[in-house]
Amino acid sequence: MRSPRSPRETRSPGLEPLAVLPVFVTLTGRRAVLAGANGGAAWKVKLLAAAGAHVDVYAPEPTEEMRAAPGEAVAGRVVLHERDWNPADLEGVAFAIAAHEDEAACAAFVAAARAAGAIVNAVDRPHLCDVSFGAIVNRSPLVVGISTEGAAPVFGQTVRARIEAMLPAGFRAWVAAARDWRAEVGARYHAFAERRAFWERFADRAFAEPERAPGRADLDALMAESEAGPRGGAVTLVGAGPGDAELLTLKALRALRGADVILYDDLVAPEILDYARREARTMLVGKTGHGPSCRQDDINALMVSLAKSGKRVVRLKSGDPLVFGRAGEEIDACRAAGIPVTVVPGVTAAQGAAAALGLSLTHRDAARRLQYVTGHDRRGALPDDLNWAALADPTVTTVVYMPKRTLRALLARAVEQGLPPGTPALVVFNATRADQAVIRGSARDLADRVEAAGGEGPAIVMVGDALGRDAQGAAASGRQAAASGAH
């Protein structure tokens, strides 16, 4: 008999310590000063001007690159003064950069600039800086800044290149459109949830057609979609997959990012919750095999109550919610209460485990059917109504969910009913996760091997002749690797 427990709210661990605070400074029309002309100075001047600043450069001996900077400003302006700075030059300055070769000269400028109320940077002298420059991905008005706090600048540049490749140049037009439409959208949708739903649809359209500049027709269509969509609370049952967060579907990600409340099971990998909105509430409503578990009626009541209060609820389940996930009861509860309910399927534990092993569950030379069965009934015992004739067929690949307590009895009964004792069988613990473990054997000895190994975590069992193909492939791979290592 499992001990009852109540749904409880959980909180993410929050922010990890930050080496630096990432902030974005508006400099349009404001005054900036750079003093000196060392190696990185000209690029800093161009950055300030690109942000719309009016930049005065004080350099008695400017480099050729610095001389060219006023003519290369893409925004703002740059004025070059071929002399040393003086305190009067810092009046009204918002941002100041020291670019002297001499440490003492840098320190003197930094002190004067801070006294004038400026934000200060010193080229190649982090100990004198209020702020530092990182790598930039520019899709203005979308700007991404990357910092390694000077620890690994080349790595930062590599990250920047990866992000550049992920963000199409056409996003400039979409973000500009968002800026232009924001006031109209805000005037039309007074509720925060309605505005968020609009901008979620906007983001989906931008990612679907990133290189097309949006127009008025897009705004009208997005507003029509928003007003045609369901109002108030709703429930979405979402499959989280077997553990690897990268196996989440795009639709699952959208549901997580749009949820007000997430009700999740014990078996959901913690990193999957990182994809939720930071403002979303998360509540653990899990069941553990033969351990403390929330009652299904309590989960149903909580889910319906939250949706009736206007919340968008995600019921997050390990694997696929429609495969031994009691989704039917939750769907029925929502429908009985008049709550809109949808289902987002997920990668099943069986699919994830098979993929991780490189195993075909339906190899045409070994398996003519695939069947999923549960390893226990409501009481936690071996179910009385299993089709033993089907389980005894070695040409069927059988996947047993929740098998830990009944594995020995299940395999013994299948052998009694005609399953050849030598039929290949295996158990996969923590499928697709970093701590995945596999125990291989046969219908005759798998239970003994599992007990001896003492595996922990969620497990599934697979039985059938197709698994012999997996063992042959693993052995061949091992022989190939050994041969390669001998050369």
Side-chain angles (χ1 to χ4, degrees):
M1 196 68 182
R2 290 184 294 188
S3 303
R5 69 176 176 185
S6 299
R8 61 182 176 85
E9 187 161 357
T10 58
R11 297 188 181 276
S12 68
L15 286 171
E16 296 291 326
L18 284 169
V20 292
L21 179 67
V23 295
F24 295 90
V25 180
T26 300
L27 291 177
T28 303
R30 303 182 72 186
R31 187 160 177 267
V33 167
L34 182 140
N38 69 10
W43 176 245
K44 296 289 178 33
V45 167
K46 294 175 187 178
L47 279 177
L48 293 173
H54 296 165
V55 188
D56 286 300
V57 178
Y58 297 94
E61 298 178 3
T63 64
E64 289 304 313
E65 189 178 7
M66 185 65 82
R67 290 183 186 279
E72 295 175 352
V74 295
R77 72 174 189 195
V78 177
V79 177
L80 176 59
H81 307 273
E82 295 191 34
R83 62 173 176 83
D84 278 325
W85 66 280
N86 61 62
D89 296 326
L90 296 172
E91 183 177 348
V93 68
F95 201 107
I97 298 178
H100 299 92
E101 296 290 353
D102 180 69
E103 170 87 12
C106 273
F109 178 80
V110 165
R114 283 180 179 152
I119 299 169
V120 178
N121 172 268
V123 179
D124 291 334
R125 289 185 171 85
H127 58 286
L128 295 177
C129 293
D130 295 330
V131 295
S132 59
F133 290 82
I136 294 173
V137 178
N138 187 9
R139 300 286 188 269
S140 290
L142 174 64
V143 178
V144 180
I146 302 155
S147 171
T148 62
E149 202 191 6
V154 173
F155 182 72
Q157 291 294 331
T158 302
V159 172
R160 179 198 60 75
R162 295 288 183 94
I163 296 175
E164 287 267 14
M166 290 169 58
L167 295 181
F171 276 178
R172 296 177 188 273
W174 285 93
V175 180
R179 179 188 56 200
D180 295 341
W181 298 348
R182 181 162 292 279
E184 185 173 349
V185 171
R188 187 152 178 171
Y189 302 112
H190 299 291
F192 172 75
E194 292 178 341
R195 292 195 300 274
R196 190 179 69 219
F198 172 89
W199 291 116
E200 285 170 356
R201 290 186 174 91
F202 172 93
D204 288 344
R205 185 169 288 211
F207 273 92
E209 302 179 84
E211 299 300 346
R212 180 180 64 81
R216 180 72 207 190
D218 292 284
L219 177 59
D220 293 340
L222 287 165
M223 286 182 167
E225 289 173 19
S226 297
E227 285 156 17
R231 299 298 177 93
V235 171
T236 305
L237 275 60
V238 174
D244 183 350
E246 292 187 356
L247 294 178
L248 283 172
T249 65
L250 293 175
K251 199 165 187 176
L253 284 173
R254 283 197 292 271
L256 286 172
R257 289 169 181 165
D260 298 307
V261 185
I262 298 169
L263 310 180
Y264 68 97
D265 289 338
D266 286 277
L267 297 183
V268 171
E271 56 267 26
I272 287 173
L273 293 174
D274 293 340
Y275 289 97
R277 289 189 310 121
R278 283 175 294 179
E279 298 86 353
R281 292 173 61 196
T282 56
M283 301 187 72
L284 176 62
V285 294
K287 302 183 181 70
T288 55
H290 310 280
S293 298
C294 294
R295 295 175 59 248
Q296 187 63 50
D297 288 346
D298 292 341
I299 298 172
N300 294 349
L302 176 62
M303 188 172 57
V304 168
S305 172
L306 289 167
K308 281 186 172 180
S309 71
K311 304 297 185 185
R312 290 191 292 179
V313 181
V314 160
R315 177 71 176 95
L316 187 63
K317 296 171 172 285
S318 179
D320 185 291
L322 303 177
V323 179
F324 300 120
R326 300 186 73 172
E329 298 168 58
E330 295 176 352
I331 292 170
D332 289 345
C334 290
R335 287 176 175 168
I339 300 296
V341 58
T342 55
V343 180
V344 177
V347 174
T348 68
Q351 291 171 314
L357 296 175
L359 168 66
S360 172
L361 297 176
T362 56
H363 195 289
R364 64 180 181 176
D365 294 330
R368 58 172 84 99
R369 192 168 76 250
L370 170 65
Q371 59 188 0
Y372 294 171
V373 299
T374 178
H376 63 73
D377 59 16
R378 290 175 179 268
R379 302 164 298 155
L382 187 65
D384 294 326
D385 56 356
L386 291 176
N387 184 337
W388 292 104
L391 288 171
D393 184 352
T395 65
V396 176
T397 302
T398 300
V399 180
V400 187
Y401 281 71
M402 299 165 285
K404 285 185 179 179
R405 294 289 184 92
T406 61
L407 175 61
R408 183 176 295 279
L410 185 146
L411 291 177
R413 181 78 180 274
V415 169
E416 287 175 8
Q417 297 294 321
L419 180 69
T423 303
L426 58 82
V427 173
V428 184
F429 290 93
N430 304 306
T432 78
R433 306 188 190 199
D435 56 349
Q436 174 179 294
V438 182
I439 301 173
R440 290 178 169 85
S442 66
R444 177 193 302 109
D445 63 8
L446 183 64
D448 291 334
R449 290 173 181 264
V450 170
E451 287 182 11
E456 295 293 334
I460 59 170
V461 168
M462 298 181 182
V463 183
D465 285 345
L467 305 182
R469 301 272 174 175
D470 167 59
Q472 293 167 18
S477 297
R479 288 193 297 271
Q480 276 189 335
S484 297
H487 291 299

